[in-house]
Amino acid sequence: MRTVVKWPGDPHGTTEVHSNATVTTVTIPSPMEKFIGTEKYEAIAKRDFETHVIHESKLKDIKAMIEVEHPKSARLYSAVRIVYEMRSDAFAKLHDVFALEEQIKNSIGEIDRDETLSAADKSTQLQAQIDRANLERKLLDTDARAFVERCRRQLDSLLGGVSTPLFERFYSFQPQFAAQPLQPD
């Protein structure tokens, strides 16, 4: 169970993730998010790009992809940063899925090896673990889809629209490092 705090004006949605479980998702923006689309954010994103392009050479590819479709964008580095965060988050979610799978596998193994449990108790506990795993997978999937949609909206706002082929090409970017939070000047 998650405790969710709703701030006034935050976007949120309700998703049924299981026949008897409904989750309300609330997005709490980072402190830098309020600056997206501003010159300040663009300057910070450009500085971040110049710092990280040494280690994340594919950031140049993202920049080039955006420049082809939006050659004179005043928010180029902001858009690159949004894509970097989106792909970094996708890889973090993938890691979370693998960690969840390992945790569930270990829990199921422990239940199977517990000789003090009756067959009925084992069956009940195994089913509870499977139900928990399915719920957690759906929560991770829901979070990932919501994040991608938020990034898509941000890119549309920054660039005046992003074509579906360009957006799909962003998925070819596999970051080597997680995107660290931007820091204001």
Side-chain angles (χ1 to χ4, degrees), residues 26-185:
V26 177
T27 302
I28 299 172
S30 73
M32 288 300 299
E33 204 158 329
K34 65 185 172 190
F35 296 111
I36 293 175
T38 67
E39 288 181 30
K40 179 177 183 169
Y41 189 90
E42 180 68 11
I44 294 169
K46 182 177 182 181
R47 183 185 69 218
D48 184 74
F49 174 89
E50 291 167 348
T51 300
H52 290 97
V53 75
I54 298 163
H55 306 289
E56 291 281 5
S57 59
K58 292 199 177 187
L59 287 172
K60 289 184 214 172
D61 296 340
I62 294 171
K63 182 177 174 262
M65 285 186 239
I66 294 170
E67 286 177 316
V68 166
E69 192 167 299
H70 299 279
K72 296 184 186 215
S73 174
R75 300 294 178 247
L76 175 65
Y77 293 98
S78 298
V80 171
R81 176 62 192 195
I82 297 300
V83 173
Y84 182 31
E85 288 178 6
M86 179 181 71
R87 296 305 298 145
S88 182
D89 184 72
F91 276 86
K93 294 280 189 251
L94 187 59
H95 180 268
D96 292 347
V97 168
F98 289 138
L100 173 66
E101 295 296 330
E102 189 64 28
Q103 179 185 13
I104 296 300
K105 186 173 100 178
N106 290 337
S107 295
I108 288 173
E110 288 176 23
I111 294 167
D112 275 340
R113 289 186 300 275
D114 190 343
E115 295 176 7
T116 63
L117 294 174
S118 68
D121 287 342
K122 279 186 182 185
S123 177
T124 300
Q125 287 188 17
L126 288 171
Q127 189 58 52
Q129 287 298 320
I130 291 168
D131 290 345
R132 179 175 155 254
N134 289 336
L135 178 63
E136 288 289 330
R137 278 187 210 102
K138 286 184 180 186
L139 287 172
L140 288 169
D141 184 55
T142 300
D143 286 348
R145 281 186 280 124
F147 187 78
V148 168
E149 283 305 312
R150 190 169 94 239
C151 290
R152 177 77 187 238
R153 285 190 306 273
Q154 289 170 339
L155 288 170
D156 287 347
S157 172
L158 290 168
L159 302 172
V162 177
S163 70
T164 299
L166 176 60
F167 195 75
E168 288 173 357
R169 285 186 64 208
F170 292 149
Y171 283 94
S172 67
F173 172 64
Q174 297 181 11
Q176 294 178 343
F177 304 98
Q180 299 301 310
L182 290 181
Q183 300 298 319
D185 293 331

Side-chain angles (χ1 to χ4, degrees), residues 2 4 13-17 21-25 135 139 142-143:
R2 291 183 179 181
V4 180
T14 302
T15 305
E16 184 174 315
V17 292
T22 301
V23 175
T24 299
T25 57
L135 178 63
L139 287 172
T142 300
D143 286 348

